[in-house]
Amino acid sequence: MDTKGRLVAGSHNRNEFVLINADEIGRVTSVKELSGQICQICGDEIEITVDGEPFVACNECAFPVCRPCYEYERREGNQACPQCKTRYKRIKGSPRVEGDEEEDDIDDLENEFDFRSNYSRDPHQVAEAMLSAHLNIGSHAHTSGISTPLDLDSSSVPSGIPLLTYGQYDVGISSDKHALIIPPFMGRGKRVHPMPFPDSSMSLPPRPMDPKKDLAVYGYGSVAWKDRMEEWKKKQNDKLQVVKHQGGNDGGNFDEDELDDPDLPKMDEGRQPLSRKIPIPSSKINPYRIIIILRLVILGFFFHYRILHPVNDAYALWLTSVICEIWFAVSWILDQFPKWYPIERETYLDRLSLRYEKEGKPSELADIDIFVSTVDPMKEPPLITANTVLSILAVDYPVEKVACYVSDDGAAMLTFEALSETSEFARRWVPFCKKFSIEPRAPEWYFAQKVDYLKDKVHPEFVRERRAMKREYEEFKIRINALVSMAQKVPEEGWTMQDGTPWPGNNVRDHPGMIQVFLGHNGVRDVEGNELPRLVYVSREKRPGFDHHKKAGAMNALMRVSAIISNAPYLLNVDCDHYINNSKALREAMCFMMDPTSGKKICYVQFPQRFDGIDRNDRYSNRNVVFFDINMKGLDGIQGPIYVGTGCVFRRQALYGYDAPVNKKPPGKTCNCWPKWCCLCCGSRKKNKKVKSTDKKKKMKNREASKQIHALENIEEGIEGKGIDNDRSLLMPQVKFEKKFGQSPVFIASTLLEEGGVPKGATTASLLKEAIHVISCGYEDKTEWGKEVGWIYGSVTEDILTGFKMQCHGWRSVYCIPKRPAFKGSAPINLSDRLHQVLRWALGSVEIFFSRYCPIWYGYGGGLKWLERFSYINSVVYPWTSIPLIAYCTLPAFCLLTGKFIVPEISNYASIIFMALFISIAATGVLEMQWGRVAIDDWWRNEQFWVIGGASSHLFALFQGLLKVLAGVNTNFTVTSKGGDDGEFSELYLFKWTSLLIPPLTLLILNIIGVMVGISDAINNGYEEWGPLFGKLFFALWVIVHLYPFLKGLMGKQDRLPTIIVVWSILLASIFSLLWVRVNPFVSKGGIVLEVCGLDCD
């Protein structure tokens, strides 16, 4: 798409469409420069014909009239040119009207009204016809009179039936619609042998076969047939021996056309799978499963003892503790069993290249559209976004197959200008990365690496170019930082562009949609003259009174606008702070998506999140290693990991709400060559198990015969007799498509193209108008966007909902962990920011729990497996654990202050149960760390922050979710800051007061006071109190140790103490001192006892 570097702004509802020239060359305020001639009747653009020339209606004066107006004038008007009054002649492809002369070179009487042949067109041709009809492009589909799905009844268009799939019988198609015997002249299906007939359009009837006769009558199964099959297999084996090397086939005797046969099976390693599963060794996984079963048994004995042995003098404490323990057990089951089948995966990038990147031919790898989302450039610094974009543009993938779309949901001119600077710097950065194959390809993190030139023996040329590139990057940073400094103070009249045009996004809540193509259009190449990937800036339209659905709405807008511009079959979404750390990450994903055997059922490939800039101890468990290296591996063995919001490659068709392809076995049939009474008898015999087992082989033979006997007339029957009944049936498909996808014929046509692609003849102006249309604020009204299509609305954690919906449609996902991390990002290492991040996640789970999409009751019968459902249920109910967790962490303090305990006097039997339970818990953790390759400190930090987050963020999320559901009170969240401060880990010690700190701080103080009081009472009452005190102290210390990182976060740096902590300490110390004086624990509770002195003082 060539916009000549101009920003496109407009509003479909307000009928506004303006091109803004941001440079100082001049300003263009119309679309005429980008388009061809304009129709003088309707004002639309005149189409380009197949020959590449503008459509000419009148051969006398060439008065500019578009084809629709030309046809309307011939059909309804005076059939004459408005300028020269010459009668319009019929042009090939236009319908006949009364008075037309019959001409041999124009008339096509045989196929003019042949609707049946139109039905059997390829879906790509149908989509091309739809695009042609709307965009007025001169494609062959349009001129040949193909009816579009918007004009035909949906039932009249047969589904594409893959007659041959990799040379094997497709079990996904019922036997009555299958045909392995295909005449080579049939137009449908894909040929396996070269075309023996010169005319590919000739139509001959399929060979009729009587299913009652033996196959040998027709030659199938005879000796001659077997000889021909053997000869064909021999030829195929000979072809497989051909191995292409560099330099071509100089020494071979093979025909060049034979080697170029597109249906030639992939050779050598190219035929092997592109990935494989690596199960966890049985020596690790079997003991783990045994421990889980033993832990379940021990839990049964534990609850049997706890329920049958209440504490009568502390019944409230006992009942509270039992309820909490039951909830913890249920929560553990929901979390544990989805980890029953953990697996790992391995990819083969060399096989991917052998299969789809043949030497001397264009790459056959699929196109990928990459989405980058950003909102506030003050909290998401433009330099971080620029590094992410640069790592995308320099990815190791064919440049013509990569398109990067940056969503600016804040309509900030700072982001726009920073992206403009980034596109200019990319012209030098991208060739440098590809020339020397550097990693990572985000310059900020690449230049942060320390390179020892002497030790690594680096080439002098690389040293020179690296130093020069580093200087250019430093200058680039200075320009970006200057833009940030300038943006700190917004002018009263708003921002103005270089040509004097006001910035369309000055009002963040009321602005038109904006699109700018920075790279990828004609004439913009890198410094070495090579093509660059497409880079597009998008800011969707926003108006007051519309619900824009935050990030999910922005992603759906990107999904639509990318379908208009590039329409890649696969999508990758990353946050603005998640750069591509492994330049081959896209190839890793394609090893799963483009695998011919298993790729069709994969909806997305999820990569783990890895982070930079985290302190060595990972105080607040920002890496989340337990989730990404243990839980996600377990889910990958069931139906796939959940979608975590970034670093995920999607199949576009899955996001459109389509069901996954189902491999159904052919329906079992008795026989189609026996009388009906025999079939009834056979049907009655099926109830007998013995007869069923003996007839199994016969049924398989009959089924194999039916594969060949069920001829093509069964397929043809689905086409015949399905004409157009009335005008209502004509409108039904259009209404159905518009209700689901919206009122954009161009976008609807793009959804029919499973392999992606856009029409070649489409003009820039037409595509830009449609792109502005699909990002308008009212486009999604009365459609299924956010409900069944795209990212799902209804929760701030739209990622969980979106992945859940896709897997309910029968899709499966894949978890890919490359040796070099695919993506890396930044995480909030400050305690307050980390708690706010967890609060946002937990609130999203609460919203899902109260929505219609809750996995407890939604999606049954749709293909979601039970263990996968357990995981989704756990992901939405975990915030509710905050209530029993806070209650359970408060119990030790009450026990120490009151002298009571939640357990009666422990017997030997109870001691064995408690010890067995603790050992099973520890053993489960150790074995998980072993097969998940997780360090013990990461596991322990995860356990600590589970308590910290559960006692603070999860509780607040639960209350806010209840307020939203019951009272309709919405909570606005601010974007987590992703910028870096001066000094390494300086933000780690920054203290920010927030109400989220109150609950864990209260628990910490209560338990510390309880420990002090308990020890004081033991000292005062003697040694007999130390025995019962041991269990209480262990319980309280367990809480304090888990809250220790929280305490360190409150203290900040070791050399200074926050003022608020000093105030809290003085206040609590005063209260505790007054209580201590009031209680006076060293004085006996029965009063002062006076005894007679035994000494005689006299």
Side-chain angles (χ1 to χ4, degrees), residues 57 78 96 98 209 259 272 276 329 373 386 392 433 458 481 484 488 517 661 668 721 755 782 804 818 935 944 1031:
N78 55 11
R96 180 183 300 278
E98 185 179 357
M209 293 183 293
L259 289 177
Q272 300 181 16
R276 72 182 181 100
S373 57
I392 293 172
C433 295
V458 182
N481 292 331
V484 175
Q488 297 293 332
V517 182
E755 300 301 326
K782 298 180 181 180
F804 173 65
Q944 288 180 314

Side-chain angles (χ1 to χ4, degrees), residues 619 885 889 939-949 1000 1004 1034-1047:
R619 180 184 296 177
L885 179 63
C889 291
W939 180 85
W940 175 238
R941 294 300 183 195
N942 181 78
E943 293 293 317
Q944 288 180 314
F945 198 79
W946 176 75
V947 176
I948 296 172
L1004 191 62
F1034 176 79
F1035 201 7
L1037 291 176
W1038 178 88
V1039 177
I1040 295 174
V1041 170
H1042 277 77
L1043 294 175
Y1044 175 72
F1046 175 81
L1047 179 61

Side-chain angles (χ1 to χ4, degrees), residues 458-475:
V458 182
H459 196 277
E461 181 184 3
F462 169 71
V463 175
R464 289 192 300 270
E465 294 199 25
R466 184 182 186 276
R467 290 174 177 172
M469 184 56 62
K470 187 174 183 180
R471 287 194 298 270
E472 293 188 16
Y473 177 66
E474 293 297 333
E475 296 174 357

Side-chain angles (χ1 to χ4, degrees), residues 151-164:
D151 301 326
L152 301 177
D153 183 55
S154 59
S155 62
S156 64
V157 182
S159 59
I161 301 177
L163 300 180
L164 281 175

